[in-house]
Amino acid sequence: MLNVALPKGRLGEKVYAMFEAAGYECPSIKENNRKLIFENEEKQVRYFWVKPSDVAIYVERGAADIGVAGKDILLEYVPDVYELLDLNLGKCRMAVAAPNEFNDDGQKVLKVATKFTNIAANYYASLGREIDIIKLNGSIEIAPILKLSDVIVDIVETGTTLKENNLEVKSTIVPISARLISNKSSFKFKGADIEKIVNSIKNQVKEND
Ligand code: PRP
């Protein structure tokens, strides 16, 4: 049985469609209920819907053989997994943003609010810029408005949230997209099945381009 962790939500539905096209369909998954685990005995596949930021934990610890996680999570938590494929879905970027009028003169320690403390710390360390990190869990955009921080490090997709709060991107740290990941020992022991899925999805990603 191949265990697959899918990120709950619209991205996960697109990802499931790719697995289905790869020959690992599980029709019961489309039934509209609150179930979180679905399996197709005949195809030897089991899917579970998990919070997108938890997929890498399931895969790292072997509860799932493979899964789909955002590059943001992989960079932030550096789970011990194989990154097999860029799915070219869920595209956005990790960026530094601040009120339009803010300019970093480099004089004082920069106050940075973020959910992604490691990404922020690594980015500013690479610039040799001293920062004070303020860890938040959501609605990060409020922090500079209320002067809790000077800037934020956060995900920007359409840019609408920033714009509506009079913030703008000051620099892009890294582009983000969804990645197919594998547990390391599953890759060894279920390699043929995983390889088959990777190849089929690789072709689908090309067709999407
Ligand atoms: C993310 C991110 C921004 C928003 C960016 O939040 O933190 O707030 O999306 O999208 P946009 O550029 O298209 O406006 P998410 O919805 O994931 O929730 P969060 O507040 O928990 O971070």
Side-chain angles (χ1 to χ4, degrees):
M1 190 68 93
L2 191 72
N3 291 297
V4 184
L6 293 174
K8 236 194 281 183
R10 224 155 36 93
L11 170 68
E13 283 162 25
K14 284 189 194 159
V15 171
Y16 168 72
M18 293 176 122
F19 279 88
E20 191 178 46
Y24 287 82
E25 71 270 22
C26 183
S28 59
I29 206 168
K30 292 188 172 160
E31 288 163 17
N32 190 13
N33 59 28
R34 307 282 289 174
K35 256 179 81 163
L36 297 171
I37 302 182
F38 298 89
E39 84 181 46
N40 184 345
E41 182 83 50
E42 188 203 330
K43 295 282 173 177
Q44 285 290 292
V45 66
R46 182 189 295 131
Y47 293 98
F48 20 96
W49 294 117
V50 307
K51 204 174 146 99
S53 51
D54 288 341
V55 168
I57 299 172
Y58 282 84
V59 174
E60 180 179 39
R61 292 182 171 259
D65 299 303
I66 55 176
V68 170
K71 185 68 180 174
D72 51 335
I73 298 298
L74 302 179
L75 290 170
E76 179 63 22
Y77 299 104
V78 200
D80 191 18
V81 297
Y82 292 132
E83 189 182 314
L84 301 178
L85 195 60
D86 184 346
L87 299 184
N88 226 356
L89 292 172
K91 284 164 97 169
C92 51
R93 56 186 163 143
M94 187 64 67
V96 176
N100 305 347
E101 65 280 4
F102 178 80
N103 267 316
D104 182 11
D105 58 11
Q107 293 303 302
K108 329 179 274 198
V109 174
L110 189 69
K111 287 189 280 173
V112 182
T114 187
K115 250 200 284 204
F116 301 95
T117 55
N118 292 325
I119 293 176
N122 290 337
Y123 173 69
Y124 282 105
S126 77
L127 299 178
R129 180 77 171 96
E130 201 186 337
I131 62 168
D132 174 16
I133 291 195
I134 300 154
K135 158 94 174 144
L136 296 177
N137 298 298
S139 301
I140 318 292
E141 290 83 358
I142 297 176
I145 299 170
L146 300 180
K147 308 269 186 262
L148 177 65
S149 72
D150 301 308
V151 303
I152 63 173
V153 165
D154 202 12
I155 284 169
V156 179
E157 193 181 350
T158 61
T160 311
T161 313
L162 292 183
K163 210 165 152 204
E164 305 230 325
N165 291 290
N166 299 316
L167 304 174
E168 64 183 21
V169 169
K170 298 292 181 183
S171 51
T172 293
I173 300 178
V174 66
I176 303 291
S177 57
R179 309 294 162 101
L180 182 63
I181 59 172
S182 169
N183 173 269
K184 289 191 167 174
S185 66
S186 301
F187 192 74
K188 211 183 277 170
F189 297 111
K190 300 183 182 178
D193 287 337
I194 295 174
E195 203 71 41
K196 188 182 154 213
I197 290 175
V198 170
N199 286 331
S200 166
I201 293 182
K202 205 183 273 173
N203 288 328
Q204 297 177 48
V205 171
K206 273 190 204 138
E207 286 162 21
N208 286 341
D209 271 351

